[in-house]
Amino acid sequence: MTTNKPRSVLREASHQIIAGGSAGLVEICLMHPLDVVKTRIFGFYKGILPPILAETPKRAVKFFTFEQYKKVLSLTSLSPGVALSAAGLGSGLTEAVIVNPFEVVKVSLQANRDSFTEQPSAFAQARRIIESDGYGLRGLNKGLTSTLGRHGVFNMIYFGFYFNVKDAIPANPDPTLEFLRKFAIGLTSGTISSIANIPFDVAKSRIQGPQPEPGAIKYRTCFQTMSLVYREEGFLALYKGLVPKIMRLGPGGGVMLLVYEYVSIWLQKNW
């Protein structure tokens, strides 16, 4: 008994990581053309490798941590519905802590690419950021509070809405209709989550991106940035970019949840 239990835990964890990574991979392959269709008609899959390398492990973390928090919270007095949302929140906060330094480096490379005589690697740029500004909220973890809000709010609604609504609506015995039922709930979940978290996304972009005046830091913290954007540019500025985001994360959110569920079922049956 002492040897079988660790193996089963390891197998369960590997199922979650593989299914989560598969969900990210399929979502990128299906939705990536939406990122390039605005500028190109042909070559829809040009430049797809970097998103695959970045998003696949990130999605694996998202789903794996959600399952771990869900397991722990099932032991508490929380109702199942609240526990699912809380597990999603925990998953989002964990994901944010892991991905934020990579986001800082990516944004820095994009913002300064015209000033480079030779494009540095991500590791070289990370080293420059650490040497000049350190690891803290002005350096490699700049914009962390906004990233925590972005991922925390998204995952809390994304997982909470999907699993609560899926459990509330009876399953359909017809496989095709059942697939469509789950996809519709996932699409709605991704759409609502995108609408709820985009102000955090806007704040993150302002904090991590180039400041309006060189040498002066205008956007410092998450809620200070939201307040400033609201006062200077109006309420709608907090929802800038909402339509393309929904077009990507609405159906993409449905795809990920479906792939995760079906791959998990297949792995449980065959491995």
Side-chain angles (χ1 to χ4, degrees), residues 207-229:
I207 295 168
Q208 293 181 346
Q211 298 289 317
E213 297 179 18
I217 301 176
K218 181 177 182 179
Y219 304 113
R220 295 179 179 274
T221 64
C222 177
F223 292 106
Q224 175 262 350
T225 299
M226 286 185 189
S227 176
L228 196 57
V229 170

Side-chain angles (χ1 to χ4, degrees), residues 92 128 137:
R128 289 180 185 176
L137 296 179

Side-chain angles (χ1 to χ4, degrees), residues 25 28-29 32 44-57:
L25 175 63
I28 287 293
C29 291
H32 182 74
F44 282 168
Y45 287 95
K46 186 176 182 181
I48 195 173
L49 185 58
I52 285 177
L53 295 176
E55 295 300 321
T56 300

